[in-house]
Amino acid sequence: MPSEFDLIRRHFTRTPRHTVLAVGDDAALLQPRAGMQLAVSTDMLVAGTHFFADTDACDLGWKALAVNVSDLAAMGAEPRWAFLALALPAPDEDWIAAFAEGFFACAERFGVDLAGGDTTRGPLTLSVTIAGEVPPGSAITRTGAQAGDELWVSGQPGLAALGLAALRGEATLAGAARTRCLQALQRPQPRVGLGKALRGIASAMLDVSDGLLGDLGHILDGSQVGAILEAGALPTAALRATATPEATWHRCLLAGGDDYELLFSAPPERRGQVEALSQALHLPLHRIGTLNPEAGTLKLREHNGTLVHLTRSGYDHFR
Ligand code: ADP
Ligand code: MG
């Protein structure tokens, strides 16, 4: 049986590109670029809670890093270094090799060095810490939104949740729709370029991981504003194309989770800049509503103009 050190050397040691000292010593040495602030975040994925234990190891490796990269994107920061803490039930080398392949594919895609970690025996759990850089004063937090700002979301939220529903046998998906939803679930694409480009434009931002409404609630609470969403402006095209019942995809859109799209607010006079960014990045950005001074309230303007109250039924792990 390979020792912990053999496993780390064989599978988790790659030549770093911008790290003074990476895997192998008691601590890593990181040198941020001159004048940059560090943005740091940790996310844990537990088998049975955040993913099925039989999930493809390569997909899991990608996702374990991608969800952390997404947290930095949501701050407008550039990801640079990751730390990987792994609890494994048994050292299955094929599994570890596939996991590492997915992890490093994501690391290369987003310019991240794996700088260290920890490996131990235990119930399958993956914890990634990520560190990146942002110029002082330009990080985009959840607290800067103002009444009157417009609310935007990137891409197509809901697809990942629909993919999960299909895996659970709660929805039927076929052909290209199934492929697209499973891809969204298993290979999320963090919006790093968008996050960075929104510095100086977005007033508040987060990445949608627990559902659009639930996560929007964090901006409303953080910024002490309310929101009215426009039913007619919500992105629905790709969800309709899945040929699932409207009630199913509608729930996935508003309260699904695992989207890793960016939800942000921006003053109306920035609208042109946001639209130009959408063009430049070839990424749809949808203006889905506006913020108002009624702190904490969440309403939807239906197609016929009626205003209805919404609950924040985003997924809450302690409910
Ligand atoms: P220590 O006992 O000093 O904490 P470890 O044996 O835990 O050292 O780790 C040895 C080296 O391997 C350290 O540099 C650590 O950061 C790195 N490391 C351990 N596990 C991983 C992993 N899963 N991925 C990346 N680096 C790892
Ligand atoms: Mg250790």
Side-chain angles (χ1 to χ4, degrees), residues 159-173 185 248 251-252:
L159 291 174
L162 204 48
L164 180 62
L167 291 183
R168 284 184 173 149
E170 297 162 3
T172 309
L173 289 173
L185 177 68
T248 304
R251 178 180 50 77
C252 290

Side-chain angles (χ1 to χ4, degrees), residues 4 8 25-26 117-119:
E4 176 193 336
I8 295 166
D25 217 305
D26 292 312
D118 200 15
T119 308

Side-chain angles (χ1 to χ4, degrees), residues 83-110:
F83 295 81
L84 169 65
L86 272 179
L88 299 168
D92 172 349
E93 279 223 66
D94 290 340
W95 191 95
I96 295 171
F99 177 87
E101 186 189 326
F103 187 95
F104 282 108
C106 186
E108 266 156 46
R109 167 72 182 76
F110 295 101

Side-chain angles (χ1 to χ4, degrees), residues 16-65:
R17 280 178 294 182
H18 48 250
T19 308
V20 182
L21 185 62
V23 174
D25 217 305
D26 292 312
L29 296 174
L30 314 179
Q31 181 63 63
R33 285 172 286 197
M36 291 295 227
Q37 255 174 11
L38 285 178
V40 184
S41 175
T42 296
D43 245 316
M44 193 146 77
L45 298 175
V46 178
T49 302
H50 302 97
F51 61 93
F52 299 116
D54 64 354
T55 300
D56 176 80
C58 188
D59 286 339
L60 199 57
W62 173 282
K63 188 163 177 174
L65 182 57

Side-chain angles (χ1 to χ4, degrees), residues 190-206:
R191 306 303 191 187
V192 175
L194 174 63
K196 194 179 159 188
L198 284 169
R199 290 175 191 162
I201 296 176
S203 51
M205 180 156 71
L206 48 64

